[in-house]
Amino acid sequence: MREAERIARAILLWAGISGAVGVVLGSFGAHGLDAFLLERGYDADLVIKRVGQWDVGVRYQLIHSVALFALAAVPFGSDANRRWVARLMLAGLLFFSGSLYLLVLTNLTILGAVAPLGGLSWIIAWLLLTRMAVT
């Protein structure tokens, strides 16, 4: 198997995992998160805020899962650049969406400070992706 194909398969695997997890978390957010948070003593206003934060995490996770899927299908660009785009997108998923999920579940507001690292990872990934189009 060629290196480019191996990389594409790995990226596709991560896209599929991330997409499936995003759908599961989105479903939980739509059908059980509010009750879960109320049972833990969150007041109604905080539940509304946290559900919104959860939704943002899921939305960005699913968008970047699709971006990973597309990255796996791009037929040009260097293997090294493709690997870095994938790594940075996955880091963004972990730091941005992951920190929002943990913030919602634990109410540790300090976790909100982690999300910008994920956003920065995604910005760099998107810029590296544009590099694939011009080189």
Side-chain angles (χ1 to χ4, degrees), residues 80-102:
N81 197 62
R82 184 183 315 272
R83 266 195 296 272
W84 274 108
V85 171
R87 288 174 185 153
L88 288 164
M89 286 205 178
L90 290 168
L93 288 168
L94 178 68
F95 291 119
F96 184 87
S97 294
S99 70
L100 288 180
Y101 301 143
L102 287 174

Side-chain angles (χ1 to χ4, degrees), residues 7-88:
I7 293 167
R9 286 178 182 268
I11 293 169
L12 187 59
L13 175 69
W14 283 108
I17 291 169
S18 177
V21 169
V23 170
V24 168
L25 293 175
S27 178
F28 175 63
H31 301 291
L33 180 60
D34 53 350
F36 178 86
L37 297 176
L38 286 169
E39 288 173 6
R40 276 148 188 78
Y42 290 42
D43 66 54
D45 289 336
L46 186 56
V47 168
I48 292 168
K49 180 178 180 177
R50 295 295 185 242
V51 167
Q53 291 167 319
W54 187 273
D55 287 344
V56 169
V58 169
R59 183 175 344 124
Y60 276 76
Q61 179 170 348
L62 291 173
I63 288 167
H64 287 87
S65 298
V66 172
L68 281 168
F69 177 79
L71 177 64
V74 173
F76 53 83
S78 75
D79 291 345
N81 197 62
R82 184 183 315 272
R83 266 195 296 272
W84 274 108
V85 171
R87 288 174 185 153
L88 288 164

